[in-house]
Amino acid sequence: MATTSRRALRLLSLFGSRRVWPLRDLAARLGAGERTVRRDIETLRRLGYPITTVHGPGGGYRLGTGHTLPPLLFDHDQALAAAVALQTAPSTVFGLRDDAARALVTLEQAMPAALRESMKSLRLTALPNYWEFPAPPADPEALTTVGTAVRHHHVLVTETLRADGSRPGPGDDDFTPARRIEPHHLVVWAGRWYVVAHDLQDHRWRVHRVDRLRARPTGRPFTPRPFPDGDLAHFVMSSHDRGDVPAAWPCTGHARLTLPAGTVARWAPSGSVVEHLDSEHCRLTLGAWSWAGVAGILATFDTDLTDLHPPELAQACHRLASRLAAAATPTTDQP
């Protein structure tokens, strides 16, 4: 009976997450046979849940129209997911820290004792990451504007902002005119929010940092296009011109690498900038807590480095090379 109750609870949560469920999909998600799922559905119906049968090719089962599930109907895995999400969201979205903390307390108070203990076991301690600086948390209003346009397939008019949030004027060197884009996907990577969009000016797929955009909804619908790259994650990570800017480090320098920009962009630490020079070369600007740290990160790319700047970075590379050469030289005074 306990197993049946847990499965029925999971079944209810599934009905709350999707409008129509084919029987085979329910069986696969519950890890049970189709006959068992039918019995569980009949059990829920006897308990008063209006689960209706939908006939036709796209049919299955759904919770009756106008009926809502009891509040806070979480299973164990959902409770853990909620605990993690509420504690990590403030690092990427501005202004949610106090609200997320209050929501976590509210959830814990409404949970059964066993689930409450599971959630408390996942109270996280945020530790500083000394090698990567995520972007400042995104503005909730900007995320809502872009996310709504992605969901409803509406064209956006966007303007590119500077790192400080200001908009360059027409006479500034970094000014770019407003562009119309078709936003297709919202992606989070390395603490940054990106939107993958089709640019209607040059008809290219591009990646934009959401916190570097001023987006204006148009309400104009578009027909979603097939994504040509096939691998959305690879496209975002290997796009060197996705709007990133150097993070504020004590030591920041750059070097010319004998590698394509897309390759370096995939592996460069967050808070760095990759510039395309030609098909075989790029310029990487990055920072660290020391010049030795910058030199060490550059060395991980295992390629030729030229045009190092500033001089402190070149000197740190010389010191690092000397230390590595000494470490690689066999000694003769060992027993």
Side-chain angles (χ1 to χ4, degrees), residues 129-289:
N129 186 334
Y130 293 109
W131 287 106
E132 295 194 7
F133 277 175
D139 177 34
E141 184 176 348
L143 281 178
T144 301
T145 299
V146 175
T148 301
V150 170
R151 177 177 175 82
H152 296 292
H153 310 304
H154 285 172
V155 173
L156 286 173
V157 175
T158 61
E159 299 173 326
T160 302
L161 305 177
R162 294 188 174 115
D164 62 3
S166 63
R167 167 69 171 155
D172 297 327
D173 293 338
D174 55 348
F175 173 78
T176 56
R179 307 183 74 87
R180 293 181 303 120
I181 64 172
E182 297 176 347
H184 282 69
H185 303 279
L186 197 58
V187 179
V188 182
W189 179 52
R192 291 161 167 78
W193 290 84
Y194 298 93
V195 57
V196 178
H198 186 265
D199 193 301
L200 293 175
Q201 260 78 352
D202 57 14
H203 303 287
R204 289 182 54 192
W205 286 88
R206 296 184 180 275
V207 182
H208 302 277
R209 275 265 296 274
V210 174
D211 63 315
R212 299 286 311 285
L213 288 182
R214 179 179 295 160
R216 186 171 72 252
T218 66
R220 173 188 167 190
F222 66 86
T223 302
R225 306 169 185 264
F227 185 62
D229 189 86
D231 188 337
L232 182 67
H234 180 269
F235 180 70
V236 173
M237 291 186 291
S238 61
S239 296
H240 68 276
D241 55 349
R242 53 185 176 241
D244 288 333
V245 294
W249 292 97
C251 301
T252 302
H254 62 75
R256 185 175 186 263
L257 281 65
T258 310
L259 283 173
T263 301
V264 174
R266 170 65 181 86
W267 302 107
S270 61
S272 59
V273 172
V274 181
E275 301 173 63
H276 171 81
L277 299 179
D278 56 47
S279 60
E280 298 180 355
H281 299 86
C282 68
R283 180 178 292 107
L284 174 61
T285 301
L286 74 163
W289 293 108

Side-chain angles (χ1 to χ4, degrees), residues 33 35-36 44 48 64 73 80 89 146 149-150 160 182 200 248 258 278 293 306 309 318 322:
R35 181 178 299 179
T36 300
L44 292 176
L73 184 65
L80 296 186
V146 175
V150 170
T160 302
E182 297 176 347
L200 293 175
T258 310
D278 56 47
T306 56
H309 185 83
H318 283 298
S322 298

Side-chain angles (χ1 to χ4, degrees), residues 15 19-21 41 45 49-55 59-65:
F15 280 124
R19 185 169 179 80
V20 178
W21 281 93
I41 289 174
R45 284 170 171 167
Y49 293 99
I51 299 173
T52 60
T53 302
V54 180
H55 300 284
Y61 296 93
R62 72 180 176 192
L63 198 63
T65 303

